[in-house]
Amino acid sequence: MSLMAADELHEAWAKLDHLERQERYLVERLSDIRKAIKAQKLKISDLGPPTINRLPTELLSQIFTFCIPDPKFPEKPLHRIVGVSHRWRNIVWNNPSFWTSIKVTPIQGEKGLKMQLKRSRNALLDIWIEDWDDCRALYDSYGKLHAFLDAIVPHANRWRSLIISDSMEPEFVESILPKINHLSAPFLREFSIDMLDDLDHLPCPDFLSPTRAPALEHLTLRPAFQLDSFMALPTLKMLHLTFSHADNHLPVISMLTPAQSLTSLVLDGNSTGWSLRRNDLHCPLLEKLTLYVDKPVPFLEAIVAPKLRYVRCWILDLVEFDTIEGKFRDVHDLSLIFSSIEDQGTEPLCRAFPGVRRVHVSARNASFLTAGIHGSGVLERRPPMDQWLNLETVTFNDFDCEWLERWGLGEDPIVKWLRGRQESGLSRLCVRLLIREDEDKLSVYYALLERHCDLEIFTRLT
């Protein structure tokens, strides 16, 4: 090999060595760059939008729905949500489900109401008409109410519920009915008028018919309307009817018979003169029955309800219950409202509902428990309530310090009754006191009760 060729070969090896060093450097540099890129991406991810903002719009909408505890009052939680970001605000504004709770009140603005109806698009609406009880500017209020009604009436085809609350003057209710009486509401599930004043000079609303409201499930008519032509809809699951003193000789059986899907029934008012026959009203799905009527027993005689588990009853005459002895063996919950009560005569009531497990009674009616207890605390015979061998819980409503002032500590009927049960070997009960306010001097009484029962205290919200 010539000298020149040797020099070229040496130079080529040197260049190759240089290139290989560059390659190793570049490979190491590329690895470092890739690590730096990965770290930077993680940093950007950590500093970027919260994970919740990466969620799809549909999922965010569902999460916002869970932030609204009461669908009737979505305003405050929605106000907080729309203040977070433009995206959240746009989600709320463009989702019709957040605009379906329509409140028709004097403080509502007509422009705001129409905007809400527009944003709700084709979604079903829940409408509350309330707080129209100020007659100081009656003419102006009528005009405003009618303007609001004119805005919502065209949307009757998507009403889901229409609630007219108790904070309404009768004059306003009377002005509402002509506006809605001719309507058809194919998706209406609930209609309620709940107020204390009677409207028994008005006929029952015409649109409460199978052709006008074919999907109606919940119906409350309180006040009393003229019910002589009323017929319960077959779709009803919950019904509350109020009867006036003029509603004599109503065919209540035929009136209620179509509602074979009823699970809850409340009858309120005057029942004198009702046309009832024994075991003539079959309610195969009824679970809850409330009777605020002056003569509950004839109705109890008439009804056949194999699934009935809860009865709330206003009682004037205890002796009448002799006629239904043992009829309601599967009623587990009994709530009793006495107009007056004596020590004698409670046994027929107990025998009518032999399977009771839970009973609610006012503390003022504790003699219902203690019939047969003498002033000394000695039991001449067990109180009728102890015939309920499956009894688990007794709730005393309206309990207050006046109770102790009347009877004295440890001498009241409740303690005597519970002590007697314990001495007789009967099962230990859960006793619940619904009190008006928790006062310190009641603590000693609570401790005394706890010797004979499992005590639970609840403060009534006023």
Side-chain angles (χ1 to χ4, degrees):
M1 179 182 295
S2 66
L3 182 60
M4 183 178 292
D7 289 343
E8 288 180 357
L9 179 61
H10 179 75
E11 184 178 349
W13 278 110
K15 189 171 183 179
L16 176 62
D17 182 61
H18 177 71
L19 291 172
E20 286 178 341
R21 287 199 305 271
Q22 280 189 320
E23 180 187 34
R24 287 193 296 271
Y25 170 77
L26 291 174
V27 168
E28 292 174 359
R29 179 63 178 155
L30 178 61
S31 177
D32 292 340
I33 289 174
R34 285 175 173 169
K35 290 178 182 178
I37 289 173
K38 185 176 181 180
Q40 197 65 17
K41 285 181 176 179
L42 289 174
K43 183 177 180 180
I44 291 172
S45 177
D46 291 340
L47 296 175
T51 303
I52 192 171
N53 275 350
R54 300 178 216 156
L55 297 177
T57 297
E58 295 77 10
L59 187 54
L60 266 179
S61 293
Q62 292 182 22
I63 293 173
F64 294 164
T65 300
F66 292 128
C67 297
I68 303 173
D70 187 348
K72 183 182 177 183
F73 300 103
E75 296 86 2
K76 287 186 178 180
L78 286 180
H79 181 72
R80 298 189 187 100
I81 290 171
V82 299
V84 172
S85 68
H86 288 293
R87 186 190 178 209
W88 286 24
R89 182 185 63 189
N90 290 334
I91 289 174
V92 170
W93 281 4
N94 294 316
N95 189 326
S97 64
F98 293 124
W99 303 96
T100 59
S101 296
I102 309 293
K103 286 184 284 294
V104 180
T105 68
I107 63 173
Q108 169 76 298
E110 186 177 353
K111 183 178 179 181
L113 175 64
K114 290 181 178 179
M115 178 60 71
Q116 189 172 356
L117 290 168
K118 182 178 179 180
R119 285 179 176 165
S120 65
R121 298 180 192 167
N122 294 320
L124 297 181
L125 302 175
D126 299 303
I127 301 171
W128 288 269
I129 304 177
E130 56 190 11
D131 296 335
W132 296 86
D133 55 356
D134 187 355
C135 292
R136 287 174 296 180
L138 192 58
Y139 182 80
D140 291 341
S141 297
Y142 272 138
K144 190 171 187 179
L145 176 58
H146 284 199
F148 290 163
L149 292 174
D150 289 340
I152 64 173
V153 161
H155 300 273
N157 64 322
R158 57 190 185 100
W159 290 356
R160 178 169 48 199
S161 63
L162 178 61
I163 312 297
I164 301 174
S165 78
D166 59 356
S167 56
M168 296 283 289
E169 290 289 339
E171 293 85 354
F172 287 110
V173 177
E174 291 182 41
S175 71
I176 292 171
L177 294 177
K179 287 278 189 178
I180 65 176
N181 220 9
H182 66 286
L183 299 175
S184 292
F187 297 106
L188 189 67
R189 298 288 188 274
E190 180 178 4
F191 178 70
S192 173
I193 300 181
D194 193 351
M195 53 184 291
L196 296 177
D197 299 85
D198 279 347
L199 296 175
D200 54 8
H201 59 287
L202 294 178
C204 188
D206 289 339
F207 76 94
L208 298 177
S209 68
T211 55
R212 301 278 194 86
L216 193 64
E217 295 181 350
H218 299 183
L219 174 61
T220 297
L221 293 181
R222 180 176 176 263
F225 288 88
Q226 293 176 11
L227 296 176
D228 51 319
S229 61
F230 174 81
M231 193 67 65
L233 279 70
T235 52
L236 286 178
K237 294 181 179 179
M238 300 179 66
L239 174 62
H240 183 153
L241 285 181
T242 304
F243 299 86
S244 74
H245 289 281
D247 289 330
N248 290 325
H249 308 295
L250 282 176
V252 177
I253 298 294
S254 60
M255 180 188 298
L256 299 177
T257 295
Q260 294 292 290
S261 298
L262 275 181
T263 60
S264 176
L265 175 62
V266 180
L267 301 180
D268 188 355
N270 178 46
S271 63
T272 303
W274 282 4
S275 178
L276 300 170
R277 292 190 300 272
R278 191 176 187 88
N279 297 331
D280 203 25
L281 176 60
H282 292 262
C283 297
L285 302 181
L286 190 67
E287 298 173 0
K288 300 179 66 175
L289 174 64
T290 300
L291 297 174
Y292 297 126
V293 296
D294 47 357
K295 292 185 177 295
V297 173
F299 188 84
L300 292 171
E301 289 177 344
I303 195 169
V304 177
K307 291 191 175 183
L308 189 61
R309 298 294 180 268
Y310 172 89
V311 172
R312 181 174 175 84
C313 196
W314 183 24
I315 297 173
L316 293 175
D317 188 348
L318 286 162
V319 178
E320 288 185 351
F321 285 85
D322 262 336
T323 62
I324 55 172
E325 180 175 343
K327 181 175 181 179
F328 298 99
R329 295 183 179 277
D330 294 324
V331 170
H332 299 158
D333 290 76
L334 189 61
S335 183
L336 304 172
I337 306 169
F338 296 96
S339 59
S340 62
I341 187 168
E342 300 175 357
D343 287 353
Q344 304 299 322
T346 56
E347 291 187 10
L349 174 62
C350 294
R351 290 196 297 265
F353 303 95
V356 168
R357 298 177 186 175
R358 294 168 288 276
V359 64
H360 298 251
V361 66
S362 172
R364 295 189 298 271
N365 302 131
S367 57
F368 174 67
L369 307 175
T370 59
I373 298 181
H374 288 266
S376 62
V378 176
L379 279 173
E380 183 180 274
R381 55 185 172 83
R382 290 306 315 160
M385 197 173 187
D386 288 342
Q387 296 179 27
W388 289 333
L389 300 181
N390 298 322
L391 189 63
E392 300 169 356
T393 304
V394 182
T395 300
F396 292 101
N397 303 317
D398 304 319
F399 191 87
D400 54 30
C401 287
E402 294 179 5
W403 178 263
L404 296 184
E405 294 170 1
R406 177 182 177 187
W407 296 102
L409 187 63
E411 297 302 317
D412 65 287
I414 298 176
V415 170
K416 288 182 179 180
W417 170 60
L418 292 172
R419 185 191 301 132
R421 283 184 61 92
Q422 194 174 43
E423 292 170 353
S424 301
L426 295 175
S427 60
R428 186 178 178 91
L429 299 178
C430 172
V431 172
R432 296 173 176 172
L433 297 184
L434 185 59
I435 62 176
R436 296 175 183 174
E437 55 183 324
D438 198 1
E439 301 188 25
D440 292 338
K441 58 183 176 181
L442 286 175
S443 59
V444 178
Y445 181 69
Y446 298 158
L448 181 60
L449 279 177
E450 286 177 332
R451 298 179 188 176
H452 311 295
C453 69
D454 298 325
L455 184 64
E456 297 178 2
I457 309 296
F458 299 90
T459 302
R460 185 178 64 183
L461 299 177
T462 55

